[in-house]
Amino acid sequence: MGRRRKRRKPQLLRAPRTLPTVFECPHCGAKALTVEINKKERNEKGEVKAIIRCGRCGLYAEMWVPEIFHPVDVYSKFLDAYLEGKIEYSFTKEEASISLSELASQEAGEEEGEEAVEGGEAGESREGAEKEDRVW
Ligand SMILES: [Zn+2]
């Protein structure tokens, strides 16, 4: 009856987060396209889910990619698929800016539900948001 040493609880294995990298959006041309690789979601082929999102026009797409993919690989694969019309994408406008504050909130590990936005009825973005605080 050996005394069992209490095993140290392994620290929560945190998958190293790939920092979102910013690329040029094929839709609006802004350098606001981020790629996030979610290694927690896998399909039966062992591929992981990549999320492509543009902070400017709201383009949003999901792709299954091999785990070894880097954001830049995802981006080029996405570009090909986008240009060939082989990828489903939608436009979301949940947050106008994907910025450092989002990076911080990712720590919380919240997962978005699968909201399939169907029908491309994304409202046109209004550019006329001028401030009306002229003081005479
Ligand atoms: Zn865009």
Side-chain angles (χ1 to χ4, degrees):
M1 261 208 275
R3 221 186 341 159
R4 274 204 189 170
R5 266 210 204 159
K6 251 192 189 173
R7 262 209 186 171
R8 244 203 191 176
K9 242 192 180 178
Q11 290 191 323
L12 272 186
L13 277 184
R14 255 207 212 167
R17 271 199 183 274
T18 322
L19 281 179
T21 319
V22 184
F23 303 97
E24 195 173 298
C25 172
H27 180 77
C28 70
K31 203 172 178 202
L33 196 81
T34 56
V35 173
E36 187 185 335
I37 297 173
N38 184 350
K39 298 199 171 178
K40 280 186 287 186
E41 285 202 59
R42 285 168 198 275
N43 65 10
E44 64 274 8
K45 282 187 263 172
E47 293 172 324
V48 295
K49 188 184 256 187
I51 294 167
I52 298 110
R53 217 190 297 221
C54 173
R56 170 117 181 262
C57 67
L59 184 145
Y60 177 93
E62 292 176 353
M63 287 178 94
W64 292 105
V65 298
E67 192 181 353
I68 53 164
F69 263 38
H70 291 288
V72 65
D73 303 317
V74 176
Y75 175 64
S76 66
K77 188 177 175 182
F78 165 73
L79 257 195
D80 286 347
Y82 177 89
L83 295 175
E84 291 172 34
K86 282 184 186 166
I87 187 167
E88 283 181 40
Y89 58 91
S90 57
F91 291 92
T92 79
K93 267 284 183 183
E94 9 178 306
E95 271 175 63
S97 61
I98 293 177
S99 58
L100 290 177
S101 63
E102 196 193 53
L103 288 185
S105 73
Q106 283 181 358
E107 286 285 306
E110 47 188 330
E111 285 185 15
E112 288 176 50
E114 298 207 353
E115 286 179 64
V117 182
E118 286 180 17
E121 290 188 53
E124 290 170 31
S125 56
R126 291 194 187 171
E127 302 263 293
E130 285 175 20
K131 281 187 183 170
E132 290 184 26
D133 49 1
R134 263 200 210 183
V135 183
W136 287 99

